[in-house]
Amino acid sequence: MTTPESVFTYGAPQLKFGAGASDEIGFDLSQFGVRRVLVVTDPGLAATGIPQRVADQMGRFGIEAQVYDGVHVEPTDVSLTEAIEAARASGPWDAFVAVGGGSSIDTAKAINLLTTNPGELMDYVNVPVGQGRAPSQPLKPLVAVPTTTGTGSESTTICVMDVLAARVKTGISHARLRPTLAVIDPDLTLTQPPGVTAASGMDILCHALESYTARWYTTYDRKTPEQRVPYCGSNPISDMWSEKALSLLAGSFRRAVRHGDDAQARADMAMAATFAGMGFGNAGVHIPHANAYPIAGQVKDFHPKDYPADEPMVPHGMSVALTAPEAFRFTFDASPERHVRAAQLLAPNAGMPTAPEEFLPMVLADLMRDIDIPNGVGAVGFAEGDIPDLVEGAMKQQRLLATSPKAVTEDDLAGIFSRSLSLW
């Protein structure tokens, strides 16, 4: 290494948390002097009336709000382009409010970027899939109102999508995409069915675990100011968020899946999702997320419980979880004490196995079994013969793999996928 890094960065949105917080968005937006606001959501959530309720309360502050309900669950380049074109046609807009899961928040980020900046979607998508261009113009205020507990998208700089022609999942990453304000109202998450709670909760868990075990920030070469990216490696501030998220999950995850009406469990999950987002949104994620992109992008005929049934899909949080036990077995020797500490935070009453490298994989597999996550990549339709394609897709996620605490080769990934065909 020439000169080691000595700087880490930290960013987060303004935050408003608590039951009823979503009823104050009209007031919050009025502080920005906005007049026309687009509320972005998906058809399933629009049917609950929640997005319209958020839009209606803006009228008291002289704000005209329209609802766009065309968000595709697990966005694609095609669905994002449609949303951008719809917003351009009905605009101009002074601000955006995303109501929903990560799909709605990410769609709103793309709309915000491409109604304020020139060019098309692929100009901004990460290299090597897209051009990786940085926005040249400031974006409009974006208020993120999550109704699922998982993605952490309300606190991050990332917009994720499937690029259909390339059969790859990728994203756009830039500090300007981070929402201006995150409004976390746990009451909005009570409608999450068990299957969605389980899958999106695994996303929280992997955000916390991956950022906690990511490369330490001083192990990178020193960057110049313009080279600094949101993912800078694990650091003292991201560690704090990740540890707290793991402790919250330990007490609430199983309960939120089994007893969806438990308001305290829902509030703890909402808090954990936001904390984990504040952790990984700065430190980064690594192997489980890199593997998740091809698992989701190459789905064959898997239909998860409690998700829209019209097309096959592996929900993002589920796809991240499926190789996590094996990924953390692989990374163990890079920071044994962190892997053990993470397992202790997640399962305070679990006994340490004789082999410490088995501790975190064991705790993860126990949890996944308890909340009905499928038993490995084989259970969602993949076989040994699919591994080369999965490895190729994961290797394209170099932005994520660069955050791994140890170097990852194609053979390493092939081994992780192979051992993840069945987990227990």
Side-chain angles (χ1 to χ4, degrees):
M1 183 182 296
T2 45
T3 316
E5 184 56 87
S6 61
V7 173
F8 69 88
T9 53
Y10 176 74
Q14 293 179 36
L15 184 65
K16 183 175 272 199
F17 185 101
S22 61
D23 297 331
E24 301 183 3
I25 292 168
F27 171 80
D28 295 328
L29 281 172
S30 71
Q31 305 304 293
F32 292 100
V34 305
R35 285 281 163 265
R36 290 194 85 229
V37 173
L38 186 63
V39 177
V40 179
T41 192
D42 69 76
L45 200 68
T48 68
I50 292 170
Q52 191 60 51
R53 196 178 83 214
V54 168
D56 289 345
Q57 39 125 345
M58 295 182 206
R60 300 203 307 275
F61 298 90
I63 297 170
E64 177 202 338
Q66 277 182 33
V67 175
Y68 171 78
D69 64 3
V71 168
H72 187 276
V73 176
E74 304 292 342
T76 66
D77 53 334
V78 174
S79 78
L80 291 179
T81 300
E82 283 173 5
I84 291 158
E85 285 170 357
R88 283 173 174 165
S90 56
W93 302 103
D94 303 324
F96 302 94
V97 177
V99 183
S103 301
S104 294
I105 299 171
D106 286 5
T107 300
K109 288 175 181 175
I111 290 172
N112 195 2
L113 173 64
L114 282 148
T115 52
T116 52
N117 279 267
E120 297 307 322
L121 192 64
M122 295 309 288
D123 296 336
Y124 297 94
V125 166
N126 294 327
V127 175
V129 181
Q131 300 299 307
R133 190 194 296 178
S136 56
Q137 303 299 314
L139 276 63
K140 299 285 172 67
L142 168 60
V143 178
V145 191
T147 58
T148 61
T149 40
T151 68
S153 185
E154 69 278 359
S155 28
T156 71
T157 59
I158 319 289
C159 157
V160 176
M161 75 204 76
D162 286 300
V163 178
L164 294 178
R167 295 197 74 204
V168 68
K169 209 175 186 100
T170 183
I172 301 172
S173 173
H174 193 275
R176 288 189 184 171
L177 264 60
R178 195 190 308 275
T180 318
L181 171 66
V183 176
I184 319 292
D185 185 341
D187 287 356
L188 300 185
T189 70
L190 291 168
T191 56
Q192 251 185 140
V196 178
T197 305
S200 56
M202 287 307 299
D203 200 18
I204 308 177
L205 176 50
C206 290
H207 287 155
L209 289 173
E210 289 171 62
S211 56
Y212 194 56
T213 56
R215 271 181 77 172
W216 190 248
Y217 75 99
T218 59
T219 64
Y220 291 87
D221 284 332
R222 187 168 185 88
K223 298 179 186 71
T224 59
E226 68 278 6
Q227 288 173 327
R228 297 207 180 281
V229 291
Y231 282 9
C232 63
S234 60
N235 60 74
I237 292 184
S238 64
D239 280 357
M240 183 180 69
W241 295 119
S242 300
E243 289 185 351
K244 184 63 178 172
L246 290 170
S247 298
L248 286 164
L249 287 167
S252 61
F253 196 173
R254 287 173 172 87
R255 209 163 74 241
V257 173
R258 292 177 186 148
H259 305 286
D261 56 351
D262 186 323
Q264 188 57 53
R266 291 294 197 183
D268 285 352
M269 291 291 282
M271 187 83 77
T274 302
F275 283 7
M278 289 174 171
F280 96 87
N282 295 282
V285 288
H286 54 88
I287 300 170
H289 266 75
N291 290 350
Y293 287 169
I295 290 171
Q298 297 173 27
V299 63
K300 298 179 179 186
D301 194 33
F302 182 73
H303 292 266
K305 199 175 67 182
D306 297 333
Y307 278 84
D310 48 352
E311 55 189 281
M313 66 184 287
V314 183
H316 174 65
M318 183 185 289
S319 65
V320 172
L322 294 175
T323 63
E326 286 302 327
F328 292 119
R329 192 174 272 126
F330 170 78
T331 55
F332 176 82
D333 58 0
S335 53
E337 65 299 328
R338 284 202 169 225
H339 288 67
V340 168
R341 171 86 177 129
Q344 289 168 334
L345 288 168
L346 187 57
N349 303 319
M352 169 108 98
T354 324
E357 66 272 17
E358 297 300 317
F359 195 11
L360 186 53
M362 175 191 84
V363 164
L364 280 172
D366 284 349
L367 172 66
M368 289 163 67
R369 257 200 312 261
D370 282 358
I371 60 172
D372 208 18
I373 295 287
N375 180 11
V377 290
V380 299
F382 293 98
E384 194 76 44
D386 298 310
I387 290 176
D389 286 346
L390 292 171
V391 168
E392 186 188 346
M395 286 303 287
K396 287 179 179 163
Q397 311 301 325
Q398 288 301 318
R399 185 178 62 86
L400 308 185
L401 293 175
T403 318
S404 171
K406 60 194 264 197
V408 195
T409 66
E410 290 187 16
D411 286 348
D412 293 330
L413 288 178
I416 291 169
F417 276 117
S418 183
R419 293 188 299 274
S420 298
L421 286 167
S422 167
L423 297 170
W424 56 78

